[in-house]
Amino acid sequence: MTKFIDSPYVKELSKITFRLYAHGWDERNGGNVSYRLTHEEIAPYEDTQTVLKNFPIAFDGKDLAGMYFLVTGTGRYFKNVIDFPERDAGLVRITEDGKSVDLLWGFNDGGRPTSEFPTHLMGHKTRLKHHANQRVIMHCHPTNLIAMTFTQKLDERRITRILWKMQTESLVVFPEGVGIIPWMVPGTTTIGEATAAKLESFSSVIWPQHGLFASGSSIDEAFGLIETIEKGAQIWSIVQQQGGKIEQTITDKNLNDLAKAFHVVPREGYLEV
């Protein structure tokens, strides 16, 4: 029987964590990824059928009871996951009472899920409620986007409009815009609750002076969302380096025309009619 380490899910996680690192968005042990899997997807792997350990979680996960998550480990460097997936990642199942998780595979050196795992679970719970197909959450530190949070007012409409106008694809990829929370200590219930509240209507949430929390229906979709947001921030940064003077831009009319052509609905009130 095929080992879980050879599954497409572990391979996807291993590749994307390295790519996040290679982009410069997950230095050292910064960042984390969780990937919700179904019972049918893990059933073929014999080495996922035994509980190896149990970890308490600081979150009431009763609504997610029985669900499986492939998640990166706390303190683990993203550059290493591709070489040591069974050490730096783990497959866990939420227990029936929602107070802990059973480890079914991975963390073979005694590790445990990322300290941000409760925040991920809060995010999964919210996204499942509104977008049942969403199964991936990524947190990383996109350089240019973080820089914007030092120089721009933390206003969702303002920052969304900047990102939409920096490249034509932005509006198509994230028509709902980007959410923003105040600066908070990471790894806490407080930041998890605030992020989950934003995920009610945004697929991505900016953590000022820290990074981005993004969701998607697949590894590719979540990663592509981050790439597109960061590309907009990068172009904006380059424009500022060139003096910041805008000779031509994507207008609100252009964006409205774009939305109609691609059948997306921009966030209400963000564009001039």
Side-chain angles (χ1 to χ4, degrees):
M1 188 175 282
T2 306
K3 298 286 189 181
F4 190 64
I5 195 169
D6 297 318
S7 71
Y9 318 111
V10 173
K11 289 178 180 177
E12 278 187 288
L13 184 75
S14 298
K15 285 194 299 183
I16 211 62
T17 48
F18 189 81
R19 286 173 180 165
L20 285 161
Y21 161 75
H23 274 67
W25 302 341
D26 285 288
E27 69 291 335
R28 202 173 180 270
N29 63 319
N32 26 79
V33 178
S34 61
Y35 187 178
R36 180 172 56 84
L37 302 177
T38 67
H39 174 74
E40 290 72 27
E41 287 169 333
I42 71 158
Y45 304 101
E46 189 175 32
D47 56 345
T48 63
Q49 307 307 307
T50 302
V51 176
L52 305 175
K53 264 182 189 176
N54 179 269
F55 301 111
I57 52 174
F59 166 65
D60 182 0
K62 195 175 295 184
D63 290 340
L64 302 176
M67 293 187 184
Y68 300 85
F69 294 91
L70 180 60
V71 59
T72 53
T74 186
R76 302 310 166 109
Y77 288 36
F78 266 28
K79 72 183 182 68
N80 294 332
V81 179
I82 196 167
D83 294 318
F84 306 102
E86 200 166 4
R87 182 194 71 184
D88 296 338
L91 176 69
V92 300
R93 179 180 58 211
I94 311 298
T95 57
E96 288 305 311
D97 64 6
K99 296 179 180 178
S100 62
V101 298
D102 289 330
L103 176 66
L104 304 177
W105 175 90
F107 300 138
N108 62 5
D109 67 344
R112 58 192 302 132
T114 170
S115 61
E116 299 284 7
F117 193 43
T119 300
H120 279 246
L121 293 178
M122 293 179 204
H124 279 290
K125 178 180 174 180
T126 297
R127 295 306 284 174
L128 271 166
K129 192 191 317 179
H130 300 282
H131 302 275
N133 66 323
Q134 294 225 331
R135 59 195 303 195
V136 175
I137 284 181
M138 290 183 188
H139 167 55
C140 64
H141 307 156
T143 309
N144 293 282
L145 186 68
I146 293 172
M148 284 185 73
T149 69
F150 285 92
T151 63
Q152 297 301 294
K153 186 176 180 181
L154 298 177
D155 178 273
E156 291 169 343
R157 183 179 186 274
R158 174 176 171 76
I159 289 183
T160 292
R161 283 174 56 82
I162 290 173
L163 297 173
W164 280 353
K165 286 173 177 278
M166 287 300 104
Q167 58 175 343
T168 302
E169 287 78 8
S170 287
L171 176 71
V172 178
V173 175
F174 52 101
E176 78 281 7
V178 292
I180 305 174
I181 62 171
W183 185 93
M184 295 181 183
V185 175
T188 63
T189 300
T190 304
I191 198 171
E193 291 172 345
T195 303
K198 289 294 181 181
L199 287 171
E200 293 272 353
S201 56
F202 295 100
S203 56
S204 60
V205 183
I206 295 173
W207 290 3
Q209 297 86 50
H210 184 153
L212 185 67
F213 206 79
S215 64
S217 60
S218 65
I219 291 280
D220 282 348
E221 185 177 82
F223 184 69
L225 174 60
I226 294 167
E227 281 186 306
T228 308
I229 292 171
E230 170 63 3
K231 185 65 173 285
Q234 181 183 22
I235 295 169
W236 181 85
S237 296
I238 292 171
V239 168
Q240 303 313 301
Q241 292 166 13
Q242 294 181 4
K245 184 180 179 182
I246 302 292
E247 294 290 349
Q248 49 275 322
T249 188
I250 301 173
T251 66
D252 281 33
K253 182 182 184 305
N254 294 152
L255 291 173
N256 276 311
D257 290 344
L258 184 68
K260 290 174 185 174
F262 282 86
H263 309 291
V264 297
V265 180
R267 193 170 193 86
E268 187 175 355
Y270 276 32
L271 292 179
E272 301 299 330
V273 177

